[in-house]
Amino acid sequence: MTNHDSAELAPASVPAYVLTRKRMRSIRMRVDSRTFEVRVSAPMTMPQWRIDAFVASRSEWITDRIAALAAVPEPLEHGPEAERARATLEEWLDILMPLWCAEFDVVPPHVSLRIMRSRWGSCRAATRRISLNLELARRGYEMTEYVLVHELAHLFELNHGPRFYALMDRHLPDWRERKARLGPL
Ligand SMILES: [Zn+2]
């Protein structure tokens, strides 16, 4: 047994959280599914130490929740989920395609949306055909935008050479950050 002062230990063991005070009777907590931020709503008058204690007592749940949210989903199979993914991507592309074709000053290429196992997208510049992986629907709008811009850049530069990256830098300056977040397939 050690005789640590528990009050001294408490701050280190309280997971970081974002607090909102509300007119409510009891404290509530959730993990934001996109940012993984811990969000706590607490009654106006609840003392800070009680909120900290509440969050600390649930640190294991928070860890599990974040792990579950971060877990790579099962690969997409043909079926209803793939069709939902297709509908989502079509909706996003209705916005993204005119925007980016205007940015690159190109006529919209033909796009096919499909399940691909080894890549996020592909581009055949000669036939002006772009394929995007349906998985992108589960990775979000920004990731879809990044891959679309990457494939559109291939209409001008076939290979991943300095001129290709210069194009990416010019049109989508935060592309490296997005690429890192997307990760490999
Ligand atoms: Zn490429």
Side-chain angles (χ1 to χ4, degrees):
M1 292 291 282
T2 55
N3 60 352
H4 285 302
D5 179 348
S6 61
E8 212 171 84
L9 276 181
S13 58
V14 179
Y17 63 90
V18 179
L19 176 63
T20 311
R21 295 281 188 172
K22 286 185 179 164
R23 284 172 195 270
M24 59 199 301
R25 283 168 178 274
S26 60
I27 188 166
R28 290 208 195 108
M29 183 176 67
R30 70 185 181 86
V31 176
D32 186 292
S33 63
R34 200 170 49 81
T35 62
F36 300 172
E37 253 173 356
V38 177
R39 297 185 171 275
V40 176
S41 308
M44 299 289 189
T45 56
M46 184 177 272
Q48 186 68 46
W49 67 267
R50 278 193 58 193
I51 300 169
D52 282 348
F54 173 86
V55 175
S57 73
R58 280 157 179 78
S59 58
E60 203 175 313
W61 176 86
I62 291 169
T63 309
D64 291 349
R65 185 80 193 113
I66 291 172
L69 288 168
V72 178
E74 288 293 299
L76 206 51
E77 300 295 341
H78 292 282
E81 199 184 350
E83 290 319 301
R84 276 195 295 278
R86 179 183 304 281
T88 301
L89 283 185
E90 281 171 353
E91 229 170 81
W92 292 345
L93 288 172
D94 281 347
I95 302 164
L96 290 170
M97 201 53 125
L99 199 80
W100 283 101
C101 288
E103 169 80 16
F104 280 105
D105 196 18
V106 287
V107 176
H110 181 270
V111 177
S112 65
L113 305 174
R114 53 203 182 86
I115 294 174
M116 291 189 270
R117 295 297 181 209
S118 60
R119 55 213 307 192
W120 290 113
S122 66
C123 176
R124 287 171 176 271
T127 52
R128 301 177 51 79
R129 298 179 86 84
I130 284 177
S131 295
L132 297 178
N133 196 326
L134 284 176
E135 289 283 355
L136 284 167
R138 304 200 289 192
R139 301 307 177 95
Y141 183 87
E142 289 203 335
M143 298 300 118
T144 303
E145 181 172 48
Y146 157 64
V147 176
L148 175 67
V149 173
H150 179 112
E151 302 311 338
L152 286 173
H154 276 310
L155 292 175
F156 301 92
E157 289 295 329
L158 294 187
N159 302 311
H160 298 146
R163 290 201 306 199
F164 178 87
Y165 293 121
L167 263 182
M168 292 298 291
D169 285 338
R170 174 144 30 98
H171 293 284
L172 194 69
D174 70 346
W175 70 269
R176 285 183 183 81
E177 196 186 298
R178 298 197 203 200
K179 182 182 182 183
R181 263 199 289 154
L182 182 58
L185 185 63

PDB file of all heavy atoms in Angstrom, residues 108-121:
ATOM      1  N   PRO A 108     -15.812  17.806 -66.675  1.00  0.00           N
ATOM      2  CA  PRO A 108     -15.886  16.692 -65.728  1.00  0.00           C
ATOM      3  C   PRO A 108     -15.603  15.347 -66.400  1.00  0.00           C
ATOM      4  O   PRO A 108     -16.187  15.042 -67.430  1.00  0.00           O
ATOM      5  CB  PRO A 108     -17.344  16.750 -65.234  1.00  0.00           C
ATOM      6  CG  PRO A 108     -17.728  18.180 -65.404  1.00  0.00           C
ATOM      7  CD  PRO A 108     -17.003  18.659 -66.636  1.00  0.00           C
ATOM      8  N   PRO A 109     -14.673  14.583 -65.843  1.00  0.00           N
ATOM      9  CA  PRO A 109     -14.390  13.258 -66.399  1.00  0.00           C
ATOM     10  C   PRO A 109     -15.493  12.267 -66.003  1.00  0.00           C
ATOM     11  O   PRO A 109     -16.319  12.590 -65.160  1.00  0.00           O
ATOM     12  CB  PRO A 109     -13.073  12.879 -65.732  1.00  0.00           C
ATOM     13  CG  PRO A 109     -13.092  13.611 -64.429  1.00  0.00           C
ATOM     14  CD  PRO A 109     -13.876  14.876 -64.655  1.00  0.00           C
ATOM     15  N   HIS A 110     -15.457  11.119 -66.623  1.00  0.00           N
ATOM     16  CA  HIS A 110     -16.392  10.074 -66.214  1.00  0.00           C
ATOM     17  C   HIS A 110     -15.931   9.486 -64.880  1.00  0.00           C
ATOM     18  O   HIS A 110     -14.745   9.220 -64.702  1.00  0.00           O
ATOM     19  CB  HIS A 110     -16.455   8.979 -67.283  1.00  0.00           C
ATOM     20  CG  HIS A 110     -17.408   7.891 -66.923  1.00  0.00           C
ATOM     21  ND1 HIS A 110     -17.026   6.777 -66.207  1.00  0.00           N
ATOM     22  CD2 HIS A 110     -18.739   7.758 -67.134  1.00  0.00           C
ATOM     23  CE1 HIS A 110     -18.092   6.010 -66.008  1.00  0.00           C
ATOM     24  NE2 HIS A 110     -19.137   6.579 -66.558  1.00  0.00           N
ATOM     25  N   VAL A 111     -16.846   9.313 -63.962  1.00  0.00           N
ATOM     26  CA  VAL A 111     -16.469   8.769 -62.649  1.00  0.00           C
ATOM     27  C   VAL A 111     -17.222   7.484 -62.383  1.00  0.00           C
ATOM     28  O   VAL A 111     -18.441   7.429 -62.579  1.00  0.00           O
ATOM     29  CB  VAL A 111     -16.795   9.768 -61.512  1.00  0.00           C
ATOM     30  CG1 VAL A 111     -16.457   9.151 -60.160  1.00  0.00           C
ATOM     31  CG2 VAL A 111     -16.027  11.060 -61.692  1.00  0.00           C
ATOM     32  N   SER A 112     -16.514   6.449 -61.974  1.00  0.00           N
ATOM     33  CA  SER A 112     -17.221   5.262 -61.501  1.00  0.00           C
ATOM     34  C   SER A 112     -16.868   5.018 -60.040  1.00  0.00           C
ATOM     35  O   SER A 112     -15.736   5.251 -59.597  1.00  0.00           O
ATOM     36  CB  SER A 112     -16.921   4.047 -62.375  1.00  0.00           C
ATOM     37  OG  SER A 112     -15.569   3.710 -62.271  1.00  0.00           O
ATOM     38  N   LEU A 113     -17.878   4.618 -59.297  1.00  0.00           N
ATOM     39  CA  LEU A 113     -17.732   4.376 -57.864  1.00  0.00           C
ATOM     40  C   LEU A 113     -17.811   2.883 -57.650  1.00  0.00           C
ATOM     41  O   LEU A 113     -18.793   2.250 -58.029  1.00  0.00           O
ATOM     42  CB  LEU A 113     -18.878   5.079 -57.109  1.00  0.00           C
ATOM     43  CG  LEU A 113     -19.008   6.577 -57.402  1.00  0.00           C
ATOM     44  CD1 LEU A 113     -20.253   7.133 -56.724  1.00  0.00           C
ATOM     45  CD2 LEU A 113     -17.766   7.308 -56.931  1.00  0.00           C
ATOM     46  N   ARG A 114     -16.762   2.320 -57.069  1.00  0.00           N
ATOM     47  CA  ARG A 114     -16.797   0.880 -56.884  1.00  0.00           C
ATOM     48  C   ARG A 114     -15.966   0.438 -55.689  1.00  0.00           C
ATOM     49  O   ARG A 114     -15.188   1.223 -55.143  1.00  0.00           O
ATOM     50  CB  ARG A 114     -16.354   0.161 -58.155  1.00  0.00           C
ATOM     51  CG  ARG A 114     -15.030   0.612 -58.701  1.00  0.00           C
ATOM     52  CD  ARG A 114     -14.949   0.287 -60.202  1.00  0.00           C
ATOM     53  NE  ARG A 114     -13.649   0.686 -60.721  1.00  0.00           N
ATOM     54  CZ  ARG A 114     -12.571  -0.086 -60.684  1.00  0.00           C
ATOM     55  NH1 ARG A 114     -12.622  -1.301 -60.174  1.00  0.00           N
ATOM     56  NH2 ARG A 114     -11.414   0.349 -61.151  1.00  0.00           N
ATOM     57  N   ILE A 115     -16.160  -0.811 -55.319  1.00  0.00           N
ATOM     58  CA  ILE A 115     -15.352  -1.392 -54.246  1.00  0.00           C
ATOM     59  C   ILE A 115     -14.005  -1.754 -54.841  1.00  0.00           C
ATOM     60  O   ILE A 115     -13.927  -2.451 -55.837  1.00  0.00           O
ATOM     61  CB  ILE A 115     -16.037  -2.654 -53.665  1.00  0.00           C
ATOM     62  CG1 ILE A 115     -17.336  -2.269 -52.956  1.00  0.00           C
ATOM     63  CG2 ILE A 115     -15.088  -3.391 -52.724  1.00  0.00           C
ATOM     64  CD1 ILE A 115     -18.157  -3.446 -52.471  1.00  0.00           C
ATOM     65  N   MET A 116     -12.958  -1.209 -54.222  1.00  0.00           N
ATOM     66  CA  MET A 116     -11.609  -1.553 -54.661  1.00  0.00           C
ATOM     67  C   MET A 116     -10.845  -2.003 -53.429  1.00  0.00           C
ATOM     68  O   MET A 116     -11.014  -1.439 -52.357  1.00  0.00           O
ATOM     69  CB  MET A 116     -10.936  -0.338 -55.307  1.00  0.00           C
ATOM     70  CG  MET A 116     -11.553   0.056 -56.638  1.00  0.00           C
ATOM     71  SD  MET A 116     -10.570   1.332 -57.495  1.00  0.00           S
ATOM     72  CE  MET A 116     -11.312   2.809 -56.862  1.00  0.00           C
ATOM     73  N   ARG A 117     -10.004  -3.013 -53.594  1.00  0.00           N
ATOM     74  CA  ARG A 117      -9.319  -3.578 -52.430  1.00  0.00           C
ATOM     75  C   ARG A 117      -7.939  -2.998 -52.197  1.00  0.00           C
ATOM     76  O   ARG A 117      -7.390  -3.156 -51.111  1.00  0.00           O
ATOM     77  CB  ARG A 117      -9.223  -5.103 -52.560  1.00  0.00           C
ATOM     78  CG  ARG A 117     -10.560  -5.819 -52.542  1.00  0.00           C
ATOM     79  CD  ARG A 117     -11.276  -5.617 -51.217  1.00  0.00           C
ATOM     80  NE  ARG A 117     -12.557  -6.325 -51.195  1.00  0.00           N
ATOM     81  CZ  ARG A 117     -13.605  -5.929 -50.477  1.00  0.00           C
ATOM     82  NH1 ARG A 117     -13.533  -4.838 -49.740  1.00  0.00           N
ATOM     83  NH2 ARG A 117     -14.721  -6.613 -50.492  1.00  0.00           N
ATOM     84  N   SER A 118      -7.365  -2.367 -53.205  1.00  0.00           N
ATOM     85  CA  SER A 118      -5.960  -1.977 -53.043  1.00  0.00           C
ATOM     86  C   SER A 118      -5.713  -0.491 -53.231  1.00  0.00           C
ATOM     87  O   SER A 118      -4.592  -0.030 -53.044  1.00  0.00           O
ATOM     88  CB  SER A 118      -5.090  -2.778 -54.008  1.00  0.00           C
ATOM     89  OG  SER A 118      -5.508  -2.501 -55.329  1.00  0.00           O
ATOM     90  N   ARG A 119      -6.725   0.255 -53.621  1.00  0.00           N
ATOM     91  CA  ARG A 119      -6.474   1.684 -53.805  1.00  0.00           C
ATOM     92  C   ARG A 119      -7.713   2.520 -53.543  1.00  0.00           C
ATOM     93  O   ARG A 119      -8.835   2.035 -53.625  1.00  0.00           O
ATOM     94  CB  ARG A 119      -5.922   1.953 -55.200  1.00  0.00           C
ATOM     95  CG  ARG A 119      -6.781   1.419 -56.329  1.00  0.00           C
ATOM     96  CD  ARG A 119      -5.933   0.990 -57.500  1.00  0.00           C
ATOM     97  NE  ARG A 119      -5.040   2.072 -57.892  1.00  0.00           N
ATOM     98  CZ  ARG A 119      -4.334   2.111 -59.004  1.00  0.00           C
ATOM     99  NH1 ARG A 119      -4.432   1.147 -59.873  1.00  0.00           N
ATOM    100  NH2 ARG A 119      -3.548   3.116 -59.272  1.00  0.00           N
ATOM    101  N   TRP A 120      -7.468   3.777 -53.216  1.00  0.00           N
ATOM    102  CA  TRP A 120      -8.576   4.694 -52.918  1.00  0.00           C
ATOM    103  C   TRP A 120      -9.203   5.247 -54.186  1.00  0.00           C
ATOM    104  O   TRP A 120     -10.371   5.619 -54.195  1.00  0.00           O
ATOM    105  CB  TRP A 120      -8.077   5.859 -52.052  1.00  0.00           C
ATOM    106  CG  TRP A 120      -7.727   5.459 -50.667  1.00  0.00           C
ATOM    107  CD1 TRP A 120      -6.481   5.454 -50.098  1.00  0.00           C
ATOM    108  CD2 TRP A 120      -8.617   5.012 -49.649  1.00  0.00           C
ATOM    109  NE1 TRP A 120      -6.554   5.023 -48.805  1.00  0.00           N
ATOM    110  CE2 TRP A 120      -7.844   4.746 -48.504  1.00  0.00           C
ATOM    111  CE3 TRP A 120     -10.003   4.796 -49.601  1.00  0.00           C
ATOM    112  CZ2 TRP A 120      -8.413   4.278 -47.308  1.00  0.00           C
ATOM    113  CZ3 TRP A 120     -10.567   4.330 -48.418  1.00  0.00           C
ATOM    114  CH2 TRP A 120      -9.779   4.086 -47.301  1.00  0.00           C
ATOM    115  N   GLY A 121      -8.408   5.319 -55.219  1.00  0.00           N
ATOM    116  CA  GLY A 121      -8.928   5.841 -56.472  1.00  0.00           C
ATOM    117  C   GLY A 121      -7.963   5.557 -57.587  1.00  0.00           C
ATOM    118  O   GLY A 121      -6.840   5.113 -57.358  1.00  0.00           O
TER     119      GLY A 121
END
